[in-house]
Amino acid sequence: MEFDLKTQTVREVNQALHDLPKDKTTEVVVNGISGDHNLAVGMDQPAKITLNGHAGYYCAGMNKEAEIIVNGNAGQGVAENMMSGKVHVKGNASQSAAATAHGGLLVVDGDAAARCGISMKGVNIVVKGSVGHMSAFMGQSGCLVVCGDAGEALGDSLYEAHLYVKGKVESLGADCIQKEMRPEHIEELSALLKEAGSDEDPHSFTRYGSARQLYTFKVDNASAY
């Protein structure tokens, strides 16, 4: 099944995607994409959707079950509030990738900009390049894997998300610290790298997590809030 945004509207294509059967996997290709916003949002079917071109804001937002491939770059908020499934951006992702996402896997072959994984709530994110400042800000659960470098204030106000970075970290945010890489973390990271199609060595990564000092207000920590 194929669609073309040169001759069809985003609303028409999204409606057709929502009408796909839920009891089988349908393969769909969308061509003619040129920075269009809100592509393939709210999917609730086990479809495999290939988007050929650069996507605009909120591509694959609220995804559930579908596998969505972007053959290009993606704008702000790709895979925002994703529940399950997989979103694979073959290029770069703009800021707030996978914001508030509860589940599923986001793979970015290039770089991701600021606030990647902001308020993540169970999603797994693998960025094969680098991420911008304040990535995993207020991350509650899930994993952020960065095969390149991380910008300033990584993991600021972090809860229980697991952060793995291979390269340099510009600075750590409030209450984020370097932690020991134990065997269970190597196992977790290995599985994520494999699922993302990366051959990086999990032993070359450093783990970061919450110091657990900002869960409740303490006057002695007032300057850190």
Side-chain angles (χ1 to χ4, degrees):
M1 185 180 296
E2 291 195 12
F3 300 96
D4 192 337
L5 284 175
K6 297 299 184 186
T7 58
Q8 296 168 285
T9 68
V10 171
R11 182 182 290 274
E12 289 171 341
V13 172
N14 279 345
Q15 186 61 61
L17 294 176
H18 290 172
D19 291 339
L20 292 173
K22 295 188 177 184
D23 59 350
K24 64 178 182 179
T25 299
T26 307
E27 294 197 11
V28 179
V29 176
V30 181
N31 296 312
I33 298 171
S34 184
D36 303 273
H37 304 313
N38 305 313
L39 294 172
V41 296
M43 290 302 301
D44 194 18
Q45 296 91 346
K48 182 175 181 180
I49 303 169
T50 301
L51 305 175
N52 289 323
H54 301 306
Y57 295 168
Y58 300 111
C59 175
M62 301 177 288
N63 183 49
K64 185 178 179 182
E65 295 192 42
E67 178 183 355
I68 300 173
I69 300 168
V70 181
N71 284 321
N73 302 321
Q76 178 172 313
V78 62
E80 177 266 344
N81 206 38
M82 177 164 59
M83 295 294 170
S84 62
K86 180 180 179 180
V87 177
H88 187 173
V89 179
K90 295 294 186 73
N92 300 314
S94 188
Q95 60 186 354
S96 302
T100 74
H102 289 248
L105 173 67
L106 170 65
V107 179
V108 179
D109 284 355
D111 299 325
R115 299 177 182 86
C116 177
I118 181 174
S119 196
M120 54 193 288
K121 297 177 173 68
V123 67
N124 291 320
I125 305 169
V126 178
V127 178
K128 296 180 182 179
S130 299
V131 296
H133 65 269
M134 295 197 78
S135 289
F137 173 53
M138 294 184 68
Q140 296 171 34
S141 62
C143 298
L144 171 62
V145 179
V146 182
C147 299
D149 301 326
E152 296 177 349
L154 174 70
D156 190 271
S157 303
L158 191 67
Y159 288 84
E160 291 301 313
H162 294 177
L163 313 183
Y164 302 100
V165 182
K166 181 179 180 181
K168 180 183 68 174
V169 175
E170 190 72 23
S171 66
L172 296 175
D175 211 39
C176 182
I177 60 173
Q178 182 176 331
K179 291 195 166 185
E180 177 188 5
M181 183 77 93
R182 298 194 297 270
E184 62 266 31
H185 302 120
I186 293 292
E187 182 179 356
E188 176 179 63
L189 178 55
S190 296
L192 288 171
L193 290 169
K194 182 178 180 181
E195 189 174 2
S198 172
D199 58 1
E200 296 281 2
D201 179 7
H203 295 88
S204 64
F205 286 74
T206 301
R207 181 171 79 99
Y208 301 91
S210 174
R212 299 174 178 150
Q213 296 300 306
L214 300 183
Y215 277 12
T216 55
F217 181 79
K218 298 178 183 177
V219 69
D220 294 337
N221 294 331
S223 63
Y225 289 91

